[in-house]
């Protein structure tokens, strides 16, 4: 059996674990909101119409921050439509997803839902069809304590100040599919002026400028450089978005998707630091990886197109995930954690039904996709400092990324507790991994779980919601400060150990 060797030393720190790494995303798209998190009349609905089964699963998932209301949707969104008495809220065409938005669920409802879910809200503003004034109005409505037209309006609507710190300055405006698509200079100027004005209301806001909508975009790199040249002094973050799929049947490359994410983050950090050098600035720009996931199907197809009926909350990209997808997702989280020195926010896109870890049926059950498990377990166990691991692993060949290590891992260390997250990206067979923990003074193995199945395509459904779960990982052995684990092909593992 091929062998790999890892060395963990609590002195090899990268940065503190950032709770905002465990964010997700709720967009007015498909059934994420309607019949996802919100369904008055559902057996579990509370007095606000929020599905309590989904609220419970959101808490179990360990979500820290939720981005809202888009996504592509935000580029045509008029926030005023979504507040006030429900009967007076207008129905609008949503051009992003070729559907009808009823505005039955809006900003006040989202703020209440966040409080119930115990998550921090992250608000995206419309810089597609709108500009500085509308952003200021929204900020006043959302956060100002009272005594002005818009803050008093919010009070009349029965809502307390939202206290939102994190704001996205638009969404994917480099994409020609975006309503209000812009050149980097057009967008950079608008984002800078919007940020400058928003800071006049609250200098402590944390603002995210849009990076490229994917590293495959023709302007990738140039877009980040030009946007940051305009916005550097006004923003804390530049966004990254990445979706990975296995549509072409190249499973070896798909399993190595985290190699691409590592490279993507490193490229954007290098570009941001280059602009910082040009500007003679000591400030460092962070990464808000505010959309990431596995996504099957044609990602360039943004709507089902003219000719299709305009419906309320039609089913859109309700991908059914399998064990292989869960292993890839766990590995992408390893990549995000490894970059905790620069990744300040990350949002798994999305939360419910739309490429989501939580699925629901209208009037029916809610269940966990296989991808739910590595996310929930990483969120629960990662704590303290992220540790860099010395890894010596056999390689696997991939068509897209060349030869890559089969075993990839990251660890965290928190006051007597080490958490180790590891994947075997090989589909060929198991790898025996020895982990040298002598410098950590490990005393016991407290928990070991694995996501793996003899059928790497096994999945969950309403009828079989727990076909794929995280299982106790029996093969882990601890002796003389050394841990030995045999990672089966296509597996994700988490272990928790005590130190003296
Ligand atoms: O998450 C689905 C969509 O993917 C978002 O609306 C958009 O920002 C991205 O292209």
């Amino acid at each position: 059996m091929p062998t790999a060797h890892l060395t963990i030393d609590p002195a090899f720190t990268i940065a503190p674990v950032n709770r905002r790494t465990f964010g997700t995303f709720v967009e007015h798209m498909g059934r994420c909101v309607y019949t996802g998190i919100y369904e008055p009349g559902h057996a579990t609905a509370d007095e606000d119409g929020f599905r309590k089964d989904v609220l419970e699963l959101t808490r179990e998932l360990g979500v820290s921050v939720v981005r809202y209301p888009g996504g592509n949707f935000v580029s045509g969104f008029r926030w005023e439509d979504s507040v006030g008495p429900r009967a007076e809220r207008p129905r609008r065409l949503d051009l992003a997803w070729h559907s009808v938005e009823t505005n039955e669920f809006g900003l006040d409802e989202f703020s209440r839902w966040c409080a119930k879910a115990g998550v921090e809200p992250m608000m995206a503003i419309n810089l597609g069809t709108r500009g500085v004034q509308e952003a200021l109005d929204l900020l006043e409505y959302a956060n100002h304590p009272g005594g002005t037209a818009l803050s008093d309006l919010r009070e009349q609507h029965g809502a307390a100040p939202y206290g939102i710190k994190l704001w996205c300055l638009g969404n994917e405006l480099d994409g020609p599919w975006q309503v209000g698509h812009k050149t980097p200079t057009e967008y950079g100027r608008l984002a800078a002026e919007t940020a400058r004005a928003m800071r006049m209301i609250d200098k402590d806001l944390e603002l995210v400028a849009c990076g490229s909508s994917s590293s495959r975009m023709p302007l990738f790199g140039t877009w980040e450089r030009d946007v940051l040249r305009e916005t550097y002094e006004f923003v804390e973050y530049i966004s990254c978005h990445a979706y990975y799929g296995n549509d072409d049947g190249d499973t070896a490359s798909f399993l190595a998707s985290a190699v691409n994410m590592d490279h993507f983050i490193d490229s954007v950090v290098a570009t941001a630091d280059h602009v910082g050098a040009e500007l003679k600035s000591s400030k460092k720009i962070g990464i808000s990886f505010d959309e990431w996931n596995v996504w099957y199907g044609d990602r360039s197809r943004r709507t089902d197109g003219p000719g299709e009926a305009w419906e309320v909350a039609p089913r859109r990209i309700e991908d059914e995930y399998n064990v292989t997808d869960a292993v890839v997702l766990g590995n992408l989280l390893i990549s995000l954690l490894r970059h905790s020195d620069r990744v300040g926010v990350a949002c798994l896109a999305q939360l419910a039904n739309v490429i989501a870890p939580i699925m629901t049926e209208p009037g029916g059950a809610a269940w966990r996709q296989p991808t739910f498990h590595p996310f929930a377990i990483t969120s629960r166990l990662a704590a303290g400092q992220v540790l860099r691991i010395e890894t010596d692993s056999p390689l696997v060949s991939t068509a897209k990324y060349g030869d890559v290590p089969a075993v990839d891992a990251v660890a965290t260390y928190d006051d007597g507790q080490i958490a180790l997250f590891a994947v075997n990206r090989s589909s060929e067979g198991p790898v025996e991994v020895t982990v040298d923990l002598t410098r950590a003074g490990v005393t016991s193995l407290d928990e070991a779980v694995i996501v793996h199945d003899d059928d790497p395509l096994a999945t969950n459904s309403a009828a079989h919601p727990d076909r794929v779960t995280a299982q106790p990982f029996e093969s882990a052995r601890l002796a003389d400060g050394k841990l030995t684990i045999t990672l089966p092909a296509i597996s994700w593992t988490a272990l928790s150990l005590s130190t003296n």
Side-chain angles (χ1 to χ4, degrees), residues 243-246 254 292-296 317-329 348-351 353-359 367-372 456-461 467-468:
Y243 293 101
Y244 299 94
N246 190 12
F254 176 57
W292 68 274
N293 205 340
V294 173
W295 177 350
Y296 285 87
I317 55 168
E318 300 198 2
D319 286 9
E320 186 177 83
Y321 293 121
N322 57 43
V323 171
T324 306
D325 301 327
V327 171
V328 169
L329 184 139
L348 177 69
Q350 300 188 6
L351 178 66
N353 292 325
V354 177
I355 45 171
I358 300 172
M359 297 303 287
W367 67 97
R368 303 165 191 81
Q369 294 240 42
T371 52
F372 183 101
L457 301 181
T459 188
N460 293 338
S461 62
R467 163 70 182 79
V468 179

Side-chain angles (χ1 to χ4, degrees), residues 136-196:
L136 293 177
D137 289 349
L138 170 53
L139 177 57
E140 181 186 323
Y141 181 90
N143 282 5
H144 197 66
T148 65
L150 292 171
S151 55
D152 287 350
L153 184 66
R154 184 203 59 240
E155 213 173 278
Q156 279 167 35
H157 295 156
Y162 305 162
I164 300 175
K165 281 272 168 241
L166 266 175
W167 294 79
C168 302
L169 301 167
N171 177 71
E172 292 190 352
L173 285 147
D174 64 321
W177 57 84
Q178 203 71 217
V179 179
H181 161 56
K182 293 181 174 39
T183 67
T185 313
E186 283 167 350
Y187 168 69
R189 289 285 305 126
L190 179 59
E193 289 315 311
T194 307
R196 188 204 303 273

Side-chain angles (χ1 to χ4, degrees), residues 374-393:
F375 189 103
I377 294 165
T378 308
S379 177
R380 178 167 60 79
L381 293 180
Q385 293 285 328
V386 182
L387 303 182
R388 180 174 54 79
I389 295 187
E390 284 302 319
T391 307
D392 178 12
S393 165

